Amino acid sequence: MYAWIWRKLPFGLPGKLAGSLLLATTIVALLWYVVFPWAEPLLPFTGSDVQVTEDSGVPGAPGDGVPGDGPADDAPPGDEHDLPYDTERNNSPPPDED
């Protein structure tokens, strides 16, 4: 098929190269602006449906979206982002507490 298209393009090698580039650009633009937007609602996933959860499927299990069940919900306020070292200076990591 590609050989047939190449033979049918006019104006020698420069015309064949320009025609090939024009055909490829037209096909990509047609897919990008017509076919993909048309097919998006038919696909089982869309950009607005993507979410990451830790849902186990068991009601009341940690990670099912119920407030107060996760480990971050049990921590005192302000502790969820406390680091054991100073972020303002280039310090060595904290020593191991064995």
Side-chain angles (χ1 to χ4, degrees), residues 5-94:
I5 294 171
W6 184 258
R7 285 192 308 267
K8 295 298 178 185
L9 289 172
F11 306 120
L13 184 61
K16 290 179 187 292
L17 292 174
S20 297
L21 184 62
L22 182 64
L23 279 174
T25 304
T26 302
I27 290 170
V28 167
L30 184 68
L31 287 171
W32 191 268
Y33 292 109
V34 178
V35 176
F36 295 155
W38 169 82
E40 183 181 13
L42 304 174
L43 297 174
F45 51 88
T46 61
S48 62
D49 292 341
V50 177
Q51 55 181 314
V52 178
T53 63
E54 294 181 17
D55 189 6
S56 65
V58 178
D64 68 350
V66 177
D69 275 347
D73 295 328
D74 298 334
D79 281 350
E80 64 269 2
H81 297 292
D82 285 344
L83 298 175
Y85 51 88
D86 185 15
T87 59
E88 300 299 321
R89 297 182 309 189
N90 190 10
N91 294 334
S92 60

